[in-house]
Amino acid sequence: MLLEILKYPDPRLRVKCKPVDKFDEELKKIVNDMAETMYNAPGVGLAAPQVGIDKRLFIIDISKEKNDLKVFINPTILKKEGEICDEEGCLSVPGEYANVTRAEVVEAVAQDINGNEFIIKADGLMARAIQHELDHLNGTLFLDRLPAFKRESVKKHIKRRQLAGEY
């Protein structure tokens, strides 16, 4: 089932999400609905709060074929290495892109759909996506990581698009 993707400045995007403690059929349905929504959007990642769900959960699929879904439940970054600045966008801030500085390499721990813990070391787009989606679980948007002048410029652009009915 396709879910509605919340758009900035919806206040639900600012909630610090609660940990997942039940790994059941309901959770599997949420993940399946989120995957269908993300692939339809189309995007490479989607966090639960972006669809109004208050759970520490996100999904990522950076494959070209869109057949390598990764599920991260109750994730934490263990290590960060390096620094790289690259362009980011967000399904909750459609049509807006900006350069964001993030760690180049991350090591994260999370649980899978069955509650099994795993560790992943990632670089490139996967590292960027993990950091971006984890920010969502803490109520942070990529806009918050921009320099003040750039953030204000993007916000003004969004306002203009809202007034014109394009956002």
Side-chain angles (χ1 to χ4, degrees):
M1 178 175 83
L2 287 178
L3 305 171
E4 177 191 359
I5 297 173
L6 304 179
K7 288 187 199 170
Y8 171 84
D10 192 304
R12 292 172 287 178
L13 293 169
R14 297 302 191 175
V15 170
K16 184 171 166 98
C17 295
K18 295 179 181 79
V20 172
D21 55 6
K22 286 174 67 178
F23 294 81
D24 56 10
E25 289 306 311
E26 181 185 342
L27 183 65
K28 288 179 180 162
K29 180 170 180 4
I30 289 169
V31 168
N32 287 335
D33 289 348
M34 285 177 60
E36 184 180 347
T37 302
M38 178 186 74
Y39 290 132
N40 185 67
V44 298
L46 186 66
Q50 290 181 274
V51 290
I53 298 170
D54 183 7
K55 293 188 183 297
R56 294 191 71 74
L57 154 69
F58 63 78
I59 58 172
I60 295 173
D61 186 345
I62 62 168
S63 69
K64 285 186 170 112
E65 301 79 21
K66 300 301 178 201
N67 63 357
D68 190 24
L69 186 70
K70 305 270 190 254
V71 179
F72 294 78
I73 301 171
N74 301 323
T76 304
I77 291 180
L78 301 172
K79 291 182 195 167
K80 293 181 179 184
E81 298 171 24
E83 197 174 85
I84 189 164
C85 186
D86 205 352
E87 188 176 75
E88 283 187 29
C90 180
L91 294 175
S92 290
V93 192
E96 301 296 330
Y97 301 89
N99 287 327
V100 178
T101 300
R102 300 233 185 233
E104 192 169 6
V105 179
V106 296
E107 185 174 272
V109 62
Q111 291 169 283
D112 66 17
I113 193 68
N114 298 309
N116 301 311
E117 192 172 278
F118 67 92
I119 294 177
I120 182 171
K121 186 169 184 176
D123 62 3
L125 181 56
M126 179 59 86
R128 180 166 293 279
I130 289 170
Q131 294 169 85
H132 178 106
E133 300 307 333
L134 186 55
D135 272 356
H136 277 298
L137 304 186
N138 296 320
T140 301
L141 298 173
F142 84 99
L143 301 175
D144 302 325
R145 298 208 175 268
L146 301 178
F149 71 93
K150 178 64 176 169
R151 182 172 49 249
E152 292 311 310
S153 171
V154 171
K155 285 180 178 180
K156 284 179 186 170
H157 188 244
I158 290 169
K159 265 271 196 259
R160 282 194 301 273
R161 289 177 57 209
Q162 284 173 325
L163 292 171
E166 300 166 357
Y167 183 84

